[in-house]
Amino acid sequence: MALSARLELRVGQSLVMTPQLMQAIKLLQLSNLDLVAYVEQELEKNPLLERAEAPDPAVEGEMPDAPPAADPGDAQAGDWLGDDMGNSRTEIEGRLGTDLENVFPDDKGPETRHADAASDPMTSSWSNVGSGGSDNEDYNLEAFVSADLSLADHLSNQLTLAVETQADRLIGQMLIDAVDDAGYLTVTIEEVADRLGAEVEDVTSVLEVIQSFEPSGVAARNLAECLAIQLRDKNRFDPAMQALVGHLDLLGKRDYAALKKLCAVDDEDLADMVAEIRRLNPKPGLAFGFAPVQPLVPDVLVRAGPDGGWIVELNSETLPKVLVNQSYYARVSKTAKKDTEKTFLADALQTATWLARALDQRARTILKVATEIVRQQDAFFALGVQYLRPLNLKTIADAISMHESTVSRVTSNKSIATSRGIFEMKYFFTSSIANSEVGGESHSAEAVRYRIKQMIDAETPDDVLSDDAIMDKLKASGIDIARRTVAKYREALRIPSSVQRRREKQAMAV
């Protein structure tokens, strides 16, 4: 077969991912916070973009009338500030009987005030404090807000007062630096002694001093030592409690029979001791150095309508809005002479126009997907979690004529505010569990987990349900589920086994 070169022409269709299309897909899956950060970057780079802000009522409305001028005959204005004092400085000083500086010591021109402030070293550094800032800078209240006190700083402040010698302070500071966020010591005494060339006894004595600091239980090497420090501070570390703290593994297994023998106490005393342990703080350091928790801001708001339906709307407060400044482009483009300037303006106009359209399309897509989710899960919004229906991305995509990947991107990092709380959009997509009855409607996995939790919460110490018993009850209510699935859902809810629950409920009932 002979090889030859030839030219062919074929017609076909293919999807080309342009840079703008890729960027639009990226915008679709961004959260509102990430989207705001992205828009801020574009506003800094693109001179044709401007932030669309709501008009100020004070600017749009009528300006308040100017206060009326003082009446020359008014007693408050014309007594000693009237025209009869004279117009010249000499006449005024002669009438007052002293220099004007003595009457108005602060009445100086701006040049004099600035010169005096600059010449006085005691006031120059404080010239802007409490005065609203300088003429060119805004007053920043955040500069006066104190930072959160970290655990290391809190311990270092106490170390300065508790230790006298420089050597002990050096040992103590190294120990404090080795305390993690939970308040536990992450190095051994031998390692600290080896690094500093100190004696092990000296490091141990300094560690005992640090363990007496607040918060109680800090700088412990393990959980037992942390609990023991807190119990000593409360004067509750007796021999029985010492035996209990020394066998926390048995307490974790809820082996109360073995603990009663080791502690030599009865059921009532053991219950009091366990309750005392539970009131302690296993991680004392977590109270320091944490930023305040930011509330979750929903992307979509759902509320009941007057006709019995649901009103779905976007949270406009979290959506960034931009406008294209066409007038500025028309003015600047007339003065552009170089090709590079014209190219830059053309690219800036194209990018600004695309971003404004992309943000609008993103908002429409999110609203469309959220409306369909609310329609599909109408029973959940009206009746509760137990009526949550099984739902997947394909169902939503087919209903609104979109691709599954688009729906997946829309529901990522988005949340919905309802009368039952704020939920992520992904929460409404759950797998289905078949109905035990032929032709029956399938059940949502989230609704089944909710039923399992309800059953376990309603248990009594004498009637603790096993996984098999829960499975039988669910099948009796029309849910076809296996025992291993019940166990998987129970573990996902962090609920212990029936044996552990029975021990705990019986101990609490004593």
Side-chain angles (χ1 to χ4, degrees):
M1 181 177 179
L3 298 177
S4 61
R6 58 181 181 179
L7 183 64
E8 292 184 355
L9 182 62
R10 295 181 180 180
V11 179
Q13 293 182 349
S14 62
L15 179 63
V16 179
M17 295 288 288
T18 62
Q20 289 187 347
L21 179 59
M22 295 175 63
Q23 196 66 29
I25 293 174
K26 179 182 178 181
L27 289 181
L28 197 59
Q29 61 187 2
L30 289 179
S31 64
N32 281 348
L33 293 177
D34 295 334
L35 182 65
V36 169
Y38 173 80
V39 172
E40 290 295 332
Q41 293 178 359
E42 292 297 323
L43 287 171
E44 293 178 0
K45 295 188 298 184
N46 198 328
L48 301 182
L49 275 177
E50 62 181 13
R51 188 179 289 102
E53 298 179 351
D56 191 355
V59 177
E60 295 294 330
E62 296 182 359
M63 296 297 292
D65 297 334
D71 189 359
D74 197 320
Q76 295 180 355
D79 186 9
W80 60 283
L81 291 177
D83 296 334
D84 56 349
M85 292 190 66
N87 297 326
S88 66
R89 180 186 179 97
T90 305
E91 294 176 357
I92 297 175
E93 290 179 349
R95 182 172 179 82
L96 295 176
T98 182
D99 296 337
L100 285 180
E101 285 79 2
N102 297 330
V103 180
F104 306 108
D106 297 330
D107 189 16
K108 300 178 181 180
E111 296 83 2
T112 308
R113 289 197 300 268
H114 293 173
D116 292 344
S119 61
D120 190 352
M122 295 298 294
T123 60
S124 59
S125 60
W126 294 89
S127 58
N128 293 331
V129 176
S131 61
S134 62
D135 296 337
N136 299 325
E137 296 182 0
D138 294 335
Y139 188 73
N140 184 16
L141 287 177
E142 296 180 357
F144 301 94
V145 179
S146 61
D148 292 335
L149 183 65
S150 65
L151 177 62
D153 294 337
H154 183 64
L155 296 177
S156 298
N157 294 337
Q158 298 177 75
L159 180 67
T160 305
L161 301 176
V163 176
E164 298 180 356
T165 64
Q166 190 67 26
D168 290 344
R169 289 182 181 178
L170 182 61
I171 296 174
Q173 193 60 50
M174 177 162 285
L175 290 172
I176 290 174
D177 293 339
V179 175
D180 60 9
D181 294 336
Y184 287 88
L185 189 66
T186 58
V187 297
T188 62
I189 294 178
E190 291 76 13
E191 291 176 352
V192 176
D194 183 62
R195 291 178 186 177
L196 298 178
E199 298 294 335
V200 177
E201 293 78 9
D202 297 337
V203 178
T204 303
S205 61
V206 175
L207 178 60
E208 292 176 354
V209 174
I210 295 177
Q211 288 179 347
S212 65
F213 293 168
E214 289 291 334
S216 181
V218 74
R221 286 160 285 189
N222 49 56
L223 178 60
E225 187 176 21
C226 177
L227 300 179
I229 295 172
Q230 299 180 56
L231 291 170
R232 288 194 191 97
D233 292 344
K234 295 182 178 182
N235 198 20
R236 288 283 290 117
F237 198 62
D238 51 21
M241 189 65 78
Q242 185 175 1
L244 178 60
V245 173
H247 297 83
L248 292 177
D249 54 338
L250 297 178
L251 182 60
K253 297 177 182 178
R254 293 175 174 81
D255 191 355
Y256 299 116
L259 288 174
K260 285 192 295 183
K261 295 180 180 179
L262 291 170
C263 300
V265 294
D266 55 11
D267 293 336
E268 184 178 358
D269 292 338
L270 181 62
D272 293 340
M273 293 166 61
V274 172
E276 184 75 21
I277 291 291
R278 288 176 176 172
R279 285 193 293 267
L280 301 178
N281 188 0
K283 296 180 179 180
L286 294 184
F288 293 85
F290 277 87
V293 178
Q294 297 294 335
L296 178 62
V297 180
D299 301 81
V300 181
L301 307 176
V302 179
R303 55 188 174 90
D307 56 349
W310 303 99
I311 299 177
V312 184
E313 56 187 0
L314 292 175
N315 188 1
S316 58
E317 296 181 359
T318 63
L319 293 176
K321 302 177 182 64
V322 295
L323 295 176
V324 182
N325 197 336
Q326 297 284 357
S327 59
Y328 180 72
Y329 171 75
R331 186 170 66 255
V332 175
S333 60
K334 295 179 181 179
T335 60
K337 298 179 180 180
K338 298 181 180 179
D339 294 338
T340 56
E341 296 176 354
K342 295 179 180 179
T343 302
F344 172 78
L345 290 175
D347 293 342
L349 179 62
Q350 182 181 6
T351 303
T353 305
W354 168 83
L355 181 59
R357 293 177 180 175
L359 292 177
D360 180 69
Q361 184 63 31
R362 176 184 180 274
R364 294 175 182 271
T365 305
I366 293 176
L367 184 60
K368 193 173 184 180
V369 172
T371 303
E372 183 61 26
I373 290 176
V374 172
R375 191 185 72 83
Q376 294 283 347
Q377 300 290 2
D378 177 75
F380 163 81
F381 293 99
L383 302 175
V385 182
Q386 61 269 29
Y387 293 94
L388 195 66
R389 295 177 51 191
L391 186 65
N392 53 30
L393 297 174
K394 188 176 186 303
T395 304
I396 300 294
D398 294 342
I400 60 178
S401 302
M402 285 187 180
H403 197 270
E404 292 183 40
S405 61
T406 304
V407 178
S408 177
R409 292 186 180 95
V410 169
T411 54
S412 299
N413 305 316
K414 311 292 189 308
S415 58
I416 300 179
T418 70
S419 58
R420 302 186 179 277
I422 301 178
F423 300 89
E424 293 186 356
M425 284 192 179
K426 292 290 187 182
Y427 174 81
F428 299 98
F429 296 90
T430 60
S431 57
S432 61
I433 297 179
N435 198 311
S436 58
E437 300 177 0
V438 179
E441 188 178 358
S442 58
H443 301 271
S444 168
E446 186 65 28
V448 173
R449 280 193 286 266
Y450 180 77
R451 290 194 181 188
I452 292 175
K453 187 177 184 303
Q454 279 187 322
M455 292 180 184
I456 294 176
D457 291 341
E459 290 177 339
T460 61
D462 299 329
D463 185 20
V464 177
L465 299 174
S466 63
D467 293 341
D468 291 324
I470 295 175
M471 177 192 68
D472 295 336
K473 285 194 172 187
L474 291 176
K475 285 187 176 181
S477 61
I479 302 175
D480 187 10
I481 190 172
R483 189 200 62 81
R484 63 178 179 272
T485 307
V486 173
K488 181 179 70 174
Y489 288 171
R490 176 180 54 76
E491 293 173 356
L493 294 171
R494 296 185 177 181
I495 298 175
S497 63
S498 59
V499 177
Q500 294 176 340
R501 297 200 308 273
R502 182 178 292 107
R503 289 176 180 173
E504 183 175 358
K505 290 180 182 293
Q506 290 176 354
M508 295 297 294
V510 174

